[in-house]
Amino acid sequence: MTRVFSGIKPTGHLTLGNYLGAMRRWAEVDQHQADALFCVVDLHALTVDHDPARVRRLTRQAATLLLAAGLDPGLCTVFVQSHVDAHTRLSYVLECVATDGEMRRMIQYKEKAARERERGGSVRLSLLTYPVLMAADILAYGTDEVPVGDDQTQHVELSRDLAVRFNQRYGHTFVVPRATHPEVATRVMNLQEPTSKMGKSDDSGPGIVYLLDEPDVVRKKVMRAVTDSGSDVVYDREARPGVSNLLEILAACEGRSPEELSGAYDTYGALKKDTAEAVVELLRPVQERHRALCADPGQVDEVLRAGAERAREMAAPRVDAAYRAIGLLPA
């Protein structure tokens, strides 16, 4: 079977964008069609200033929500990155293959480093090198496909470059992965800033629907969503980003196309009301399963323990082979 690896970073509460853009497909498609690994990449949350207790709390919450979203440990491997030391073992080896120039060209590094400097903070070395850790996440498992959004394609390209370079210099060791862009994934935009992605690390709470928001909170956020000048409900991403975002969210919830829905509404108010109710109903079963899992924390612990054990068994032979290939004496 094709092997798929995906990770989610615990830097904020998971959002509707995370669910429609990735998690729902993981549950409905990937875990059934591939040998799939889904990881909470907690080490990546340490690249910027953070509260340790919050990282631990969000890591557990993310893992619980992955299960609540429908990931089945009987079909896929769910684990926490820091529980599998193969990631950090391989990361250093790949740092010895990557170049400084490659790291400094990474778009996300440039953007995050600039924001950190604007706040008067210092840029951590791990922020520069974390794309190599991401490559290790992928390459350790012989991953064939990495489903990503456009903003992560550059990281998968780096993984490909490092795999090819290592294989050429030291002998064939790694599968060269490829990025995939699932057509069914929805790019959900911020309700208050419809030209910006709905990110879990953003500060604009009113524009973000979190997976654990209460129904009334969801309704309030959607009803207050920014729309566009004019009153025609038309799907046009460039000219009408606000209403187009609502149409895409509603279409994703109902399994329809935004173009089809754009002709069904005469007013923004009616569109907002239907979108709000569709989101509430979409999130209801996820929230119910999340409450049940929180009531039995031992179940989540066992899933993560078993997932980490399985991941270690899968990664260790390839990482050991990389150590031998690059010249390290076996223990």
Side-chain angles (χ1 to χ4, degrees):
M1 293 179 70
T2 298
R3 181 162 291 175
V4 170
F5 178 94
S6 290
I8 200 155
K9 188 162 56 174
T11 51
H13 299 288
L14 299 186
T15 72
L16 178 66
N18 295 127
Y19 183 71
L20 290 178
M23 294 165 64
R24 183 169 68 170
R25 177 184 168 84
W26 296 350
E28 294 180 355
V29 179
D30 290 337
Q31 69 173 344
H32 299 283
Q33 296 183 356
D35 181 9
L37 298 99
F38 302 105
C39 179
V40 182
V41 287
D42 53 342
L43 294 173
H44 292 297
L46 311 185
T47 60
V48 295
D49 190 34
H50 63 277
D51 173 10
R54 185 171 187 266
V55 171
R56 283 191 292 270
R57 185 170 64 251
L58 290 176
T59 298
R60 185 173 188 82
Q61 184 184 89
T64 305
L65 280 169
L66 288 177
L67 299 176
L71 293 187
D72 182 349
L75 298 174
C76 63
T77 304
V78 181
F79 65 105
V80 174
Q81 179 190 32
S82 63
H83 295 177
V84 181
D85 63 2
H87 294 254
T88 50
R89 288 183 64 213
L90 182 56
S91 182
Y92 180 75
V93 167
L94 294 178
E95 283 185 15
C96 297
V97 178
T99 68
D100 176 75
E102 284 175 316
M103 297 300 98
R104 297 187 186 279
R105 285 194 296 270
M106 302 301 286
I107 295 171
Q108 290 206 3
Y109 168 73
K110 292 179 181 179
E111 293 175 347
K112 292 180 180 180
R115 286 199 297 268
E116 195 65 31
R117 293 189 185 101
E118 286 174 5
R119 289 196 291 261
S122 56
V123 179
R124 300 186 181 192
L125 178 61
S126 57
L127 184 62
L128 178 65
T129 60
Y130 91 91
V132 178
L133 176 58
M134 187 178 293
D137 299 337
I138 296 167
L139 298 181
Y141 297 100
T143 303
D144 298 297
E145 295 182 357
V146 187
V148 292
D150 293 338
D151 58 338
Q152 293 292 334
T153 300
Q154 190 182 32
H155 291 124
V156 182
E157 288 303 314
L158 175 68
S159 301
R160 291 174 56 83
D161 291 344
L162 295 181
V164 169
R165 191 177 306 155
F166 190 100
N167 289 347
Q168 290 176 342
R169 290 180 181 176
Y170 306 113
H172 185 79
T173 306
F174 296 115
V175 173
V176 180
R178 59 186 177 274
T180 59
H181 305 279
E183 293 182 6
V184 297
T186 300
R187 185 176 174 85
V188 180
M189 312 305 277
N190 190 298
L191 295 175
Q192 293 298 314
E193 300 175 24
T195 58
S196 301
K197 190 175 72 168
M198 185 183 286
K200 60 182 179 295
S201 303
D202 293 345
D203 297 324
S204 179
I208 304 170
V209 175
Y210 296 105
L211 294 187
L212 297 179
D213 276 347
E214 294 291 334
D216 285 346
V217 173
V218 173
R219 294 186 182 100
K220 183 180 296 184
K221 289 180 177 180
V222 176
M223 294 305 294
R224 292 180 177 177
V226 168
T227 48
D228 313 291
S229 59
S231 59
D232 295 338
V233 180
V234 177
Y235 181 67
D236 186 333
R237 253 288 163 210
E238 295 299 320
R240 300 288 184 86
V243 70
S244 295
N245 187 37
L246 292 171
L247 286 167
E248 288 187 351
I249 293 171
L250 179 58
C253 291
E254 296 187 347
R256 301 167 69 183
S257 72
E259 293 86 356
E260 173 190 358
L261 289 170
S262 67
Y265 292 93
D266 296 323
T267 66
Y268 289 162
L271 171 62
K272 287 181 175 181
K273 183 178 179 181
D274 282 2
T275 303
E277 292 307 318
V279 173
V280 167
E281 291 307 311
L282 180 78
L283 297 184
R284 191 184 306 280
V286 177
Q287 293 178 353
E288 289 174 353
R289 289 192 291 266
H290 179 266
R291 284 193 291 270
L293 289 165
C294 288
D296 183 14
Q299 182 179 352
V300 177
D301 291 339
E302 176 56 27
V303 168
L304 296 180
R305 185 203 63 75
E309 182 176 341
R310 191 181 312 149
R312 289 187 206 105
E313 292 174 354
M314 295 167 70
R318 186 167 284 99
V319 176
D320 288 345
Y323 268 50
R324 291 192 299 271
I326 205 169
L328 300 177
L329 188 68

